[in-house]
Amino acid sequence: MNINATLIGQTIAFVLFVLFCMKYVWPPIIKAIEERQSQIANALSSAEVAKKEQADVKVLIEQEMNQAKLQAQEIVDLANKRRNEILEEVKAEAEALKAKIIEQGHAEIESERKRVQEELRAKVASLAVAGAEKIVGRTVDKAANNDIIDKLVAEL
């Protein structure tokens, strides 16, 4: 009976151990496992939500990038258009300035031509009077010379 009594004692001790564990050890362990499961489920749920938000943000970013590219292209197009307008304005101003400079050059040439013509007339008149003096053999007075020169210049 010694074996039976030992076996019964061990069984009672085991049952008491199991009851003790079920009352005091297992509840905190089960609670910790359940909390951990809950945390993992929440983390997975949060990760799924974050993944969805990331996809949404990615779409928004792509839309913003496309819109920014369109705006940048519009700005470049406007800048090119304005550049072309400025070039046309500068060309027109340059042509106008060129025409003005040419006109001034023509006016200066005409003025210089008239001046030289007047000088030549005066010299020709002086030479004519000098020649006439030599032919006549006498000197005509200054007032008469000036009068004759003025008439010759007017005729030339």
Side-chain angles (χ1 to χ4, degrees):
M1 280 225 228
N2 206 0
I3 294 182
N4 270 344
T6 308
L7 192 56
I8 291 176
Q10 286 178 348
T11 305
I12 292 175
F14 180 72
V15 169
L16 288 176
F17 175 73
V18 168
L19 289 175
F20 175 79
C21 285
M22 285 177 63
K23 177 83 173 159
Y24 297 105
V25 175
W26 289 109
I29 292 175
I30 297 295
K31 184 178 177 187
I33 290 172
E34 288 173 352
E35 286 177 1
R36 183 69 179 140
Q37 285 176 338
S38 176
Q39 288 173 351
I40 291 171
N42 289 341
L44 289 174
S45 175
S46 294
E48 194 64 36
V49 169
K51 187 176 180 181
K52 186 174 188 244
E53 286 177 2
Q54 180 187 14
D56 293 343
V57 168
K58 186 177 181 181
V59 169
L60 288 175
I61 288 172
E62 287 176 7
Q63 289 174 349
E64 289 292 324
M65 290 292 287
N66 289 337
Q67 190 171 0
K69 285 178 185 177
L70 290 174
Q71 287 176 345
Q73 187 60 46
E74 288 176 6
I75 290 169
V76 168
D77 291 343
L78 285 173
N80 286 332
K81 181 180 176 185
R82 182 63 183 136
R83 181 200 64 193
N84 291 336
E85 289 173 356
I86 289 171
L87 285 175
E88 290 301 319
E89 289 173 7
V90 168
K91 284 180 185 177
E93 288 175 9
E95 288 295 325
L97 183 60
K98 174 182 147 185
K100 183 178 177 182
I101 290 171
I102 290 172
E103 185 179 317
Q104 286 175 345
H106 287 303
E108 287 177 18
I109 290 170
E110 184 63 26
S111 172
E112 186 66 17
R113 186 184 64 77
K114 286 181 181 179
R115 187 189 62 76
V116 169
Q117 212 173 26
E118 289 300 319
E119 280 181 21
L120 285 175
R121 283 182 187 169
K123 285 185 181 182
V124 167
S126 292
L127 288 174
V129 168
E133 283 177 354
K134 284 187 181 185
I135 291 174
V136 172
R138 63 185 175 95
T139 303
V140 183
D141 68 59
K142 277 280 198 199
N145 277 350
N146 286 339
D147 188 40
I148 292 170
I149 290 173
D150 287 341
K151 283 182 185 177
L152 283 174
V153 168
E155 288 176 13
L156 294 176

